[in-house]
Amino acid sequence: MEKVIIAGSGCAGLTAAIYAARANLNPLVLEGRQPGGQLSTTTLVENYPGFPDGIDGPELILTMHRQAEKFGARFSYAEVTDFDGSNKHIRVKADDEWLETQAFIIASGASARYLGLEDEEKLIGHGLTSCATCDGAFYKNVPVCVVGGGDSAAEESLFLTRFASKVYLIHRRDKMRASIIMQERVFANKKIEPIWNTVVTKYVADEKGEMRAVRLRNVKTNEERELPVACVFMAIGHDPNSKPYRGKLDMDGDSYLITKNLVESKHPGVFVAGDVADRIYKQAVTAAGSGCAAAMDAEKYLSELESHA
Ligand code: NAP
């Protein structure tokens, strides 16, 4: 029987692990398929307090990981695939094995969204990706495109200018939703060419199954054209990783878990932190904050359990 299991090892999960470990709860962190969460696939983080010159996302996450380990957190690469809260103890399926725990913190984050076009699955890794940091360097001196108009699209476009000959920023509207500072950087960069009011309708692969071009449609004029690109970088937001809890915990229409008092789920002993429940802020620092709250509430819950035992 575990005292605390934490699902997810992004900013929220690792902060929960630091707090739970420092409270001597010996937490077990199930890291899942994307250890480190979204920060591990990003570049310079300029708005995490305490780093006036910014810090690389992967470095920030590794530092948090070390900090949690130092206080006794344990880590496993298993992914939560199922959850059962119907008995006295909470049961969590980690890959194929059921584990029992007194408290459970869900910090499973969110995963990159794709467009749902034909051949998408086949092209991921063959000129279709959601991670410029991971794959950008493979596309030197060739044209690429980024789809989206938020901060991620801005950040990925800027990063890709280091490698690509040209970066087309394809956005479905004529205004970005990215922060002003990021927009200014995008517009000042001569290598980036925004293509407004436009959606990708088809991926075009070559005979080896590698991305060769995208088919575009202007949503105002309905005009269609083909744009040669060697890679498409998707930056159209994320979907919460909440599948194991469907029908068991409250979630909204977009599958974000619903919490009360910041991190409480409807199930006693189950707490929720970070992007899996956050459809508004989605920042590293807000995820860390809710991870802290979840661990503190789990600790309080466990001491109440003990005092009633
Ligand atoms: P986001 O802000 O939700 O932006 C998603 C973008 O993709 C929007 O421009 C949206 O268009 C577009 N989009 C969504 N679905 C689409 C579809 N099916 N087809 C075409 N376009 C679609 O997501 P994000 O950029 O990943 O950012 C998420 C959060 O992380 C934000 O709060 C952001 O501030 C934060 N973030 C911050 C930084 C930073 O501070 N450096 C970096 C990355 C992310 P519309 O605009 O028309 O809705």
Side-chain angles (χ1 to χ4, degrees):
M1 166 71 70
E2 297 287 342
K3 271 190 184 149
V4 182
I5 290 181
I6 298 169
S9 60
C11 213
L14 290 177
T15 307
I18 292 166
Y19 273 79
R22 279 194 85 243
N24 276 339
L25 296 176
N26 193 26
L28 172 65
V29 183
L30 304 175
E31 298 208 55
R33 286 211 183 92
Q34 196 187 343
Q38 290 174 55
L39 272 184
S40 64
T41 66
T42 191
T43 51
L44 195 64
V45 180
E46 285 185 321
N47 49 13
Y48 198 85
F51 301 95
D53 300 322
I55 178 165
D56 273 327
E59 189 187 340
L60 179 59
I61 227 61
L62 279 176
T63 312
M64 288 185 191
H65 200 286
R66 272 211 309 279
Q67 195 174 353
E69 251 173 346
K70 176 179 140 185
F71 293 113
R74 293 165 297 137
F75 289 86
S76 151
Y77 284 124
E79 164 129 337
V80 174
T81 54
D82 206 351
F83 163 83
D84 173 15
S86 58
N87 296 308
K88 184 168 172 242
H89 296 301
I90 299 156
R91 294 171 75 232
V92 175
K93 197 172 186 185
D95 287 344
D96 294 326
E97 186 191 359
W98 280 100
L99 305 173
E100 279 196 341
T101 184
Q102 289 177 304
F104 181 40
I105 297 175
I106 303 170
S108 45
S111 293
R113 194 181 286 156
Y114 284 82
L115 290 170
L117 297 177
E118 202 184 331
D119 288 339
E120 199 152 68
E121 297 273 308
K122 273 198 255 169
L123 281 162
I124 291 175
H126 298 276
L128 179 62
T129 173
S130 61
C131 179
T133 337
C134 320
D135 300 322
F138 296 128
Y139 298 95
K140 287 200 176 92
N141 304 318
V142 288
V144 299
C145 70
V146 173
V147 183
D151 277 319
S152 298
E155 192 178 274
E156 305 240 317
S157 301
L158 288 162
F159 178 73
L160 289 165
T161 59
R162 297 188 201 176
F163 313 102
S165 56
K166 181 98 195 164
V167 180
Y168 298 101
L169 177 62
I170 299 167
H171 185 33
R172 62 185 178 183
R173 292 188 294 132
D174 63 357
K175 271 191 196 66
M176 294 185 77
R177 71 166 61 234
S179 51
I180 297 297
I181 185 169
M182 296 300 277
Q183 289 194 37
E184 284 173 354
R185 287 180 196 172
V186 164
F187 300 144
N189 195 311
K190 298 253 173 334
K191 262 198 183 179
I192 303 176
E193 181 179 326
I195 301 181
W196 302 117
N197 298 314
T198 297
V199 293
V200 175
T201 55
K202 193 173 168 20
Y203 306 120
V204 186
D206 64 15
E207 65 285 353
K208 291 186 192 138
E210 299 289 328
M211 189 76 73
R212 177 177 71 71
V214 280
R215 193 109 202 116
L216 302 179
R217 181 170 58 84
N218 183 305
V219 294
K220 295 270 186 225
T221 63
N222 268 335
E223 195 185 310
E224 294 209 15
R225 65 170 165 135
E226 195 170 292
L227 180 75
V229 286
C231 191
V232 180
F233 291 85
M234 209 49 74
I236 60 167
H238 293 80
D239 291 318
N241 297 321
S242 57
K243 202 168 156 208
Y245 316 106
R246 195 162 293 155
K248 297 165 188 171
L249 297 177
D250 291 339
M251 53 180 78
D252 69 14
D254 292 322
S255 302
Y256 285 91
L257 291 176
I258 295 172
T259 55
K260 60 179 168 57
N261 300 328
L262 194 59
V263 293
E264 280 174 27
S265 77
K266 73 170 186 187
H267 194 291
V270 177
F271 304 91
V272 184
D275 283 9
V276 71
D278 176 8
R279 59 178 311 128
I280 301 172
Y281 303 105
K282 303 175 181 185
Q283 302 299 302
V285 69
T286 48
S290 64
C292 156
M296 291 178 76
D297 281 8
E299 186 191 356
K300 187 161 161 258
Y301 170 80
L302 289 172
S303 30
E304 276 164 14
L305 265 192
E306 229 165 73
S307 65
H308 290 110

